[in-house]
Amino acid sequence: NARELDGNVLYFGLFDDEEFDKIEFNTDGFRDIFAFDNMTINTKDQIVTCKNVTIPVDANCEAEIPPITDLYGLSKQKSTYVTGLPDPLTVGEYVFELTATFQEGTIEVNDTCTGTVTVIDEIDPVVTCTMFTHTANETCLAVVPTIYNSSDNCAIRNETQNPPPGTSKTIGTHDIDVLVEDTSGNMGSCTEIYVVVDNTILQVFC
């Protein structure tokens, strides 16, 4: 049973098999004093506060769950556990709940909080360009192919080659620019050297 009196809530009953008289709340709305018969537990310092943390993925686009001590700002608890975080983590935002247990004599007090773990990808795609040589056709042109390699630790969203594959180029040396973007907006680029040569044997008729 409970009733409100002068802004404090008075409870009568059992708490973890310990008979108590009342629970009071301070002016900030936090638990202040637990009075168990003649034993008093001060819980002002037993409020757990979760942190919002950001961590990067590794070369496999995964991240380990952060050490539990990185997720909250408290060191006086008896034990803690976290729910809501898969293992391993991938790119995204996760809301977790942390429960801390405090010990005062034979009495245990629990408090919970929630926070977020944001997992980001900061690794740029890898793009490799090389010099490529083509022989011109009978019209002195060569068609530009896709002549680069790309990879990313997570996933590639967009690849651009300028001029694009299928473009005809005349005899000479040409720069081909490549830009690769992954799903997190990281960019990788390179410039290819595309050479068109004329290997046609000159025929002379007398």
Side-chain angles (χ1 to χ4, degrees):
N1 298 317
R3 58 184 174 143
E4 187 170 326
L5 179 64
D6 295 330
N8 295 329
V9 179
L10 306 183
Y11 293 82
F12 301 89
L14 295 176
F15 181 83
D16 285 351
D17 297 327
E18 297 283 344
E19 185 175 353
F20 67 88
D21 299 318
K22 64 182 178 179
I23 299 177
E24 296 182 355
F25 289 77
N26 63 20
T27 56
D28 295 325
F30 295 112
R31 292 170 299 178
D32 191 4
I33 300 295
F34 285 80
F36 298 85
D37 288 343
N38 296 323
M39 180 177 64
T40 298
I41 300 176
N42 190 337
T43 64
K44 287 182 178 180
D45 296 328
Q46 297 177 344
I47 303 298
V48 63
T49 302
C50 287
K51 298 179 181 179
N52 298 325
V53 299
T54 300
I55 57 175
V57 294
D58 58 19
N60 296 315
C61 201
E62 296 178 347
E64 296 181 354
I65 295 176
I68 196 168
T69 51
D70 290 350
L71 301 178
Y72 65 96
L74 202 61
S75 60
K76 298 180 180 180
Q77 77 288 346
K78 173 185 176 183
S79 62
T80 54
Y81 67 89
V82 174
T83 58
L85 297 178
D87 188 18
L89 300 168
T90 56
V91 175
E93 185 174 287
Y94 303 84
V95 177
F96 67 87
E97 181 177 271
L98 185 145
T99 300
T101 301
F102 306 91
Q103 185 79 36
E104 285 282 352
T106 61
I107 305 302
E108 289 187 352
V109 179
N110 292 329
D111 192 39
T112 61
C113 64
T114 58
T116 59
V117 174
T118 303
V119 183
I120 59 174
D121 174 23
E122 299 178 310
I123 301 176
D124 293 335
V126 177
V127 189
T128 304
C129 293
T130 59
M131 180 180 289
F132 197 88
T133 301
H134 254 175
T135 300
N137 59 21
E138 64 276 5
T139 62
C140 292
L141 297 174
V143 177
V144 176
T146 299
I147 50 177
Y148 66 91
N149 296 311
S150 62
S151 62
D152 189 68
N153 63 317
C154 291
I156 292 175
R157 175 166 55 196
N158 187 47
E159 297 177 295
T160 302
Q161 177 178 297
N162 185 33
T167 302
S168 295
K169 285 295 183 180
T170 59
I171 295 171
T173 300
H174 309 276
D175 289 341
I176 311 278
D177 296 320
V178 176
L179 184 64
V180 177
E181 180 185 16
D182 68 13
T183 52
S184 294
N186 301 307
M187 310 291 286
S189 63
C190 67
T191 298
E192 307 165 347
I193 305 299
Y194 183 58
V195 181
V196 180
V197 297
D198 180 10
N199 288 334
T200 303
I201 299 175
L202 180 62
Q203 297 182 358
V204 179
F205 296 95
C206 298

